């Protein structure tokens, strides 16, 4: 990789970062919408419950309907959203709840396609959790339906709307880490990834993540978020992938790997390592972008910059809050720091005031209310899903698998 | 078969033992999955009610409730209603608005989202009745800025209640779960025993309880302390006086609700008078007449008035009947 290749890896590099000028407006108070919205939720499981929790913060948004085909989950939803009308079938919800403006879809991944198509067809704005789909065919069908529809569509990626990631990205895109050398993401959580039930019929429904015929496993359910964030930072997608997946921690008859390693090749020689395991929690979940002048670490509500000794000193560094990680010292990136520093409250700004999911939902609700573009389109969702689908193929076949441009295209 | 799981949350360690009838990998996977869902409830409560996380619902409430009412989910609102109820029944011995005072005594670390005030200012901020309003449509409002809630005396119990509900829902019939060893909840009893045997402290004379479909909470002042203006301040403060607790050495309660047991055990440590204790609850308070003594020399026991037949304290040395008892 030549140095000009490396530089072009970071499109729009423009010298040293102009620090605080790029900071997004970060208000801890939930944003008011231009008009009240009535929304529905399809899928009242783990993620659906989190969505319900964040929706409660928006005073102008009413969760008017909840749909789940599992009666027990639906009764749980009734407790958490007593005002909502309950449906066991999504078509009934889309038809009878005529005044719904938007629908959040948080069902098992393999159900996304028909739900997205039906919701868009019914004229609703759609927020669909990532990954969009477990097959290229389904992901492209969703992207086509979104393109043809009049409503807004947002893929529920955790990175793009995250204010602290936006800030980190502004540094990376303006050359603060200079030439990118490598990317690395990990997800570690000690969990069997299993939902308990003694009913075999419910088991198949609830434990869809462990069914290799409909689940991409970790690389799909977790990896897509990382792949999308790294694309958003670098402007690049990988061209090929190698990977391994093993069952090391949970030898309970499952067929979906609990420990996965992948290596992605980017144009120009940069490689990205991706690692996930359900057998350890060590260091949790984060992504790293390493460059010749520094490394950025992204971890949900927090982000840091680790500078090389020969990197340019920013004027604002004297005010910065730092955190020690063994022998490395990271500058804590604080969204809205200029304003907080002016009020002498810089330390209070460490960590986001809401979980990343909140910002993704806020972005969607504002896009619906103000007729603006959501931050992560269906086509972006397709691209991240395509990377995960090729990675799953590489793991399955034990070979290096190309990620052709046509995977990303709707033509 | 026994399966054991644990989780670091709420600044402590939660531990869970599940017992199933069958053996084999399928049975183990099922028990473990059930335990993980229960621990996920604890994580969820931590994410929702932590004072040390800027992205928690509680921090969201602290930032906004003095300016405009904040809508909360039914579970959180039910918890606030229980706070109001215990606060009233204990005449303020339990009071979550104590947060600014805890911070002023430096009993909260720097990451807390509580405002840092002087002791005098902080005392002004304490008082649920005057500071907190629970409104229609599950909304909470603060009557003045500076108000902040520390749910440390009830959140562990709340998390256990939700976790136990999830375990029962998953079909678990025998389990014991604790948060930081101070709040404990039991489903059923271990095979071949009448209850889960638990001792209140170490030593041969420690009172015991056999816990079965019941919850236990134990509070003691000496568990954590800081130095403040040259003297030791224990982590339990009297919300009414704004001073460190000087009453009981240990207070334990039993209730079907771990949250209720949790809140009452703190209240009884502050004021060793079980006057307003609901009839379905039981309490045991350990005290001493001797200064500098850290081990109780006598115990006050208030048995259950209703719901008898559930777990009860036993092996209580030098027990004294505790009703009525003078406030200490």
């Amino acid at each position: 990789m030549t140095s000009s290749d490396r530089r072009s890896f970071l499109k729009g590099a423009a010298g040293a970062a102009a620090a605080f000028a790029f900071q997004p407006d970060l208000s801890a108070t939930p944003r008011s919408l231009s008009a009240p919205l009535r929304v529905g939720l399809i899928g009242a499981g783990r993620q659906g419950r989190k969505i319900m929790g964040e929706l409660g913060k928006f005073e102008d948004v009413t969760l008017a309907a909840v749909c789940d085909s599992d009666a027990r989950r639906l009764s749980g939803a009734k407790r958490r959203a007593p005002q909502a009308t309950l449906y066991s079938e999504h078509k009934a919800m889309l038809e009878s709840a005529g005044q719904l403006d938007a629908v959040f879809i948080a069902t098992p991944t393999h159900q996304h396609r028909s739900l997205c198509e039906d919701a868009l067809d019914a004229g609703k704005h759609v927020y669909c959790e990532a990954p969009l789909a477990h097959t290229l065919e389904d992901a492209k069908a969703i992207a086509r339906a979104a393109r043809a529809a009049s409503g807004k569509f947002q893929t529920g990626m955790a990175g793009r709307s995250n204010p602290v990631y936006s800030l980190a990205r502004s540094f990376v895109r303006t050359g603060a880490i200079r030439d990118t050398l490598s990317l690395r993401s990990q997800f570690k959580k000690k969990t069997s990834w299993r939902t308990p039930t003694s009913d075999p019929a419910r088991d198949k429904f609830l434990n869809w993540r462990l069914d290799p015929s409909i689940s991409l496993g970790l690389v799909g359910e977790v990896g897509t978020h990382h792949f999308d964030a790294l694309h958003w930072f670098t402007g690049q997608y990988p061209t090929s992938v190698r990977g391994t997946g093993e069952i090391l921690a949970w030898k309970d008859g499952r067929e979906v790997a609990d420990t996965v390693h992948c290596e992605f090749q980017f144009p120009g020689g940069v490689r990205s390592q991706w690692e996930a395991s359900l057998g350890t929690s060590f260091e949790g979940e984060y992504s790293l972008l390493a460059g010749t002048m520094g490394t950025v670490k992204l971890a949900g509500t927090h982000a840091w910059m680790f500078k090389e000794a020969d990197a340019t000193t920013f004027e604002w560094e004297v005010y910065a809050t730092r955190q020690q990680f063994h022998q490395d010292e990271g500058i804590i990136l604080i969204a809205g720091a200029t304003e907080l520093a002016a009020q002498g409250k810089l330390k209070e700004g460490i960590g986001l005031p809401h979980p990343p999911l909140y910002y993704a939902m806020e972005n969607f609700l504002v896009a619906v209310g103000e007729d603006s573009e959501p931050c992560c389109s269906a086509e972006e969702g397709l691209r991240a899903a395509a990377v995960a689908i090729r990675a799953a193929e590489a793991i399955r076949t034990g070979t290096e698998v190309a990620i052709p441009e046509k995977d990303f295209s709707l033509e | 078969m026994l399966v054991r799981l644990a989780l670091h949350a709420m600044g402590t360690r939660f531990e869970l033992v599940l017992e199933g009838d069958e053996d084999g990998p399928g049975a183990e996977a099922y028990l473990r999955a059930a335990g993980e869902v229960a621990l996920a409830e604890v994580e969820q409560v931590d994410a929702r009610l932590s004072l040390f996380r800027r992205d928690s619902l509680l921090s969201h409430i602290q930032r906004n409730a003095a300016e405009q009412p904040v809508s909360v989910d039914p579970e959180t609102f039910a918890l606030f209603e229980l706070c109001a109820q215990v606060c009233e029944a204990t005449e303020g011995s339990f009071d979550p608005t104590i947060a600014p005072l805890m911070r002023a005594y430096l009993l909260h670390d720097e990451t807390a989202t509580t405002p840092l005030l002087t002791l005098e200012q902080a005392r002004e901020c304490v008082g649920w009745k005057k500071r907190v309003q629970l409104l229609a449509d599950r909304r909470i409002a603060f009557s003045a800025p500076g108000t902040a809630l520390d749910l440390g005396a009830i959140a562990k119990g709340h998390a256990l209640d939700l976790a136990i509900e999830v375990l029962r829902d998953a079909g678990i019939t025998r389990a014991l779960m604790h948060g930081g060893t101070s709040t404990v909840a039991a489903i059923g009893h271990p095979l071949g025993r009448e209850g889960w045997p638990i001792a209140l402290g170490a030593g041969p004379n420690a009172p015991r309880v056999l816990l079965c479909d019941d919850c236990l909470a134990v509070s003691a002042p000496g568990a954590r302390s800081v130095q403040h203006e040259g003297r030791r301040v224990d982590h339990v403060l009297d919300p009414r006086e704004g001073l460190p607790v000087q009453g009981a050495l240990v207070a334990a309660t039993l209730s079907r609700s771990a949250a209720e047991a949790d809140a009452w055990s703190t209240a009884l440590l502050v004021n060793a008078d079980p006057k307003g204790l609901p009839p379905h609850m039981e309490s045991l308070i350990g005290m001493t007449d001797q200064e500098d003594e850290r081990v109780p020399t006598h115990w006050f026991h208030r048995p259950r008035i209703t719901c008898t037949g559930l777990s009860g304290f036993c092996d209580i040395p030098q027990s004294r009947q505790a009703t009525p008892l003078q406030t200490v």
Side-chain angles (χ1 to χ4, degrees):
Chain A
M1 188 178 189
T2 66
S3 76
S4 89
D5 279 343
R6 270 198 296 272
R7 267 194 290 280
S8 71
F9 190 79
L10 296 166
K11 287 182 181 165
F20 290 170
F22 291 89
Q23 285 173 6
D25 175 35
L26 184 75
S27 167
T29 310
R31 189 154 163 193
S32 298
L33 303 173
S34 50
L37 291 178
R38 285 165 57 83
V39 304
L41 169 68
I42 306 177
R46 284 175 296 268
Q47 191 64 16
R49 189 174 161 191
K50 287 182 188 163
I51 288 173
M52 277 191 254
E54 296 309 316
L55 273 176
K57 293 179 182 169
F58 297 94
E59 291 290 334
D60 309 327
V61 179
T62 306
L63 177 59
V66 178
C67 174
D68 200 302
S69 57
D70 186 73
R72 289 170 85 160
R73 288 206 157 157
L74 209 49
S75 72
K78 182 72 196 164
R79 260 199 339 268
R80 297 191 180 99
Q83 76 287 355
T85 311
L86 304 182
Y87 295 90
S88 57
E89 212 280 316
H90 75 279
K91 282 194 173 156
M93 177 177 119
L94 293 171
E95 281 161 19
S96 57
Q99 293 168 335
L100 285 186
D101 298 296
V103 172
F104 287 81
I105 296 174
T107 60
T109 302
H110 64 283
Q111 297 174 348
H112 286 173
R113 176 179 174 176
S114 63
L115 296 171
C116 286
E117 285 175 341
D118 290 346
L120 289 166
D121 207 34
K124 310 298 176 201
H125 303 287
V126 173
Y127 177 105
C128 181
E129 280 298 335
L132 267 196
H134 72 300
T135 66
L136 263 182
E137 191 190 344
D138 282 6
K140 289 193 177 190
I142 292 172
R144 282 195 193 99
R147 188 186 269 189
S150 56
K152 307 284 178 197
F153 188 98
Q154 178 159 329
T155 308
M157 291 296 184
R160 286 175 191 253
S161 44
N162 181 326
V164 85
Y165 281 29
S166 285
L167 174 61
R169 180 174 177 265
S170 70
F171 284 118
V172 171
R173 303 279 288 192
T174 51
I177 63 169
R178 193 74 63 84
D179 300 324
T180 304
L181 302 167
S182 68
L183 311 169
R184 179 153 71 84
S185 301
Q186 77 156 40
F187 172 86
K188 303 270 181 79
K189 189 170 168 71
K190 191 171 180 178
T191 166
S192 70
W193 236 32
R194 196 179 276 285
T195 305
T197 175
S198 44
D199 174 356
R202 267 190 103 224
D203 184 63
K204 192 161 174 53
F205 166 72
L206 293 175
N207 285 305
W208 60 273
R209 289 189 301 192
L210 297 177
D211 179 350
S213 70
I214 50 173
S215 165
L216 296 170
L218 283 162
V219 81
E221 294 306 314
V222 180
T224 38
H225 292 277
H226 299 149
F227 308 151
D228 181 65
L230 292 177
H231 163 65
W232 184 55
F233 268 74
T234 61
Q236 299 267 333
Y237 262 121
T239 53
S240 68
V241 54
R242 290 184 300 177
T244 59
E246 309 288 344
I247 297 162
L248 298 175
W250 306 109
K251 292 171 183 161
D252 54 6
R254 72 182 57 202
E255 295 171 69
V256 168
D258 59 37
T259 303
V260 175
H261 292 85
C262 291
E263 187 178 84
F264 297 93
Q265 175 75 58
F266 280 79
V270 170
R271 284 183 167 79
S272 170
Q273 307 277 343
W274 188 81
E275 185 185 6
S277 180
L278 301 175
T280 167
S281 311
F282 184 66
E283 291 191 328
E285 184 174 8
Y286 63 84
S287 293
L288 293 177
L289 293 95
T292 51
M293 283 299 165
T295 294
V296 162
K297 179 173 180 171
L298 309 167
T301 52
H302 291 69
W304 300 263
M305 181 151 62
F306 301 85
K307 296 181 63 188
E308 293 294 327
D310 57 346
T312 316
T313 303
F314 300 121
E315 275 175 33
W316 49 268
E317 270 184 50
V318 282
Y319 307 108
T321 308
R322 292 156 201 275
Q323 192 175 345
Q324 196 72 27
F325 292 77
H326 188 43
Q327 77 266 38
D328 296 299
E329 190 180 67
I331 295 173
I332 302 177
L333 299 181
I334 297 175
T338 313
E339 201 177 293
L340 288 166
Q343 297 165 12
K345 292 181 175 173
L346 197 56
K347 275 200 172 177
E348 288 175 29
I350 296 172
L352 290 175
H354 300 284
L357 174 64
Y358 166 87
Y359 296 99
M361 290 169 56
E362 181 189 59
N363 186 279
F364 172 67
L365 293 167
V366 169
V368 168
E370 296 178 359
D371 196 21
S372 56
E373 279 312 302
C375 63
C376 188
S377 67
E379 285 168 50
E380 294 293 4
L382 156 66
R383 288 191 264 276
V387 172
I389 288 161
R390 291 299 179 189
E393 184 186 334
I395 292 165
R396 199 170 55 245
T397 59
T399 57
E400 180 161 5
V401 171
I403 307 173
E405 284 275 341
K406 68 175 172 51
D407 282 7
F408 302 145
S409 143
L410 287 184
E411 306 316 322
Chain B
M1 157 161 307
L2 271 182
V3 165
R4 189 184 291 251
L5 294 97
L7 170 79
H8 287 289
M10 300 184 173
T12 186
R13 183 163 172 269
F14 282 75
E15 206 173 4
L16 167 60
V17 179
L18 298 160
E19 193 177 26
D21 293 328
E22 291 165 31
D23 282 332
E28 184 180 350
Y30 165 69
L31 288 177
R32 176 168 288 282
E36 285 173 357
V37 178
L39 292 178
E41 283 297 314
V42 176
E43 273 185 320
Q44 182 268 122
V45 172
D46 195 15
R48 188 155 50 91
L49 300 180
S50 173
L51 199 59
F52 305 97
R53 290 177 61 153
R54 202 170 167 236
D55 64 342
S56 71
L57 176 65
L58 183 65
S59 296
H60 172 63
I61 292 167
Q62 325 269 52
R63 285 191 297 265
N64 297 292
E67 282 168 37
Q68 57 180 36
V70 175
S71 300
V72 299
D73 59 278
E75 279 163 0
T76 306
F77 197 73
L79 179 70
F80 288 152
E81 286 180 320
L82 178 63
C83 287
Q85 198 184 314
V86 180
C87 194
E88 171 135 20
T90 61
E91 294 171 357
S93 296
F94 164 82
D95 191 334
T97 60
I98 198 161
L101 201 57
M102 298 283 284
R103 184 78 197 278
Y105 272 112
L106 304 178
L107 286 158
H108 285 160
D109 69 35
E110 269 198 17
T111 60
T113 53
T114 325
L116 182 54
L117 307 171
T118 64
L119 267 180
E120 211 41 56
Q121 290 168 325
R123 280 196 189 99
E124 275 299 302
C125 294
V126 180
W128 180 283
K129 220 168 174 177
K130 65 175 189 205
R131 287 276 175 166
V132 180
Q133 291 147 0
L134 299 182
L135 308 169
D137 302 326
R138 304 193 312 267
R139 288 172 307 146
I140 181 170
F142 294 161
S143 60
T147 311
L149 305 180
D150 181 340
L151 298 168
I154 196 167
K156 286 206 295 285
H158 176 62
L160 287 182
D161 284 334
L162 296 181
I164 289 291
E165 193 181 324
V166 161
L167 289 175
R168 287 191 196 277
D169 199 41
I172 297 297
T173 53
R174 296 196 293 278
L176 184 76
M177 188 167 179
H178 75 80
T181 70
S182 60
T183 312
V184 193
I187 298 179
H189 51 81
L191 212 54
R193 306 189 74 150
E194 284 179 16
W196 300 88
I198 297 163
L200 269 63
N205 293 326
R208 294 154 53 82
V209 60
L210 273 178
L211 210 60
C212 178
D213 288 322
D214 212 1
C215 304
L216 162 75
V218 186
S219 288
R224 219 174 54 223
S225 65
V226 294
Q227 289 295 317
H228 184 81
E229 291 170 0
R231 64 195 172 103
R232 178 188 144 114
V233 177
D234 289 324
H235 82 293
V236 180
L237 298 177
D238 184 339
R240 302 164 306 172
E241 310 288 334
L243 295 168
V245 162
Q246 311 227 323
L249 289 178
V250 58
T253 53
L254 292 168
S255 166
R256 292 295 287 271
S257 151
E260 189 179 44
D262 210 359
W264 268 100
S265 72
T266 305
L268 293 178
L269 192 74
V270 168
N271 178 13
D273 181 0
K275 191 176 65 186
L277 190 74
H280 63 267
M281 289 184 70
E282 179 166 340
S283 69
L284 183 66
I285 302 165
M287 307 189 69
T288 179
D289 299 329
Q290 294 151 33
E291 222 169 295
D292 295 332
E293 178 61 77
R294 307 296 290 177
V295 179
T297 50
H298 46 270
W299 296 83
F300 295 93
H301 182 210
R302 209 295 310 258
R304 279 182 160 116
I305 296 162
T306 57
C307 299
T308 49
L310 282 167
S311 318
F313 295 111
C314 50
D315 303 335
I316 308 165
Q318 303 171 48
S319 172
R320 294 179 196 172
Q321 205 66 22
T323 44
L325 178 81
Q326 290 300 307
T327 304
V328 288

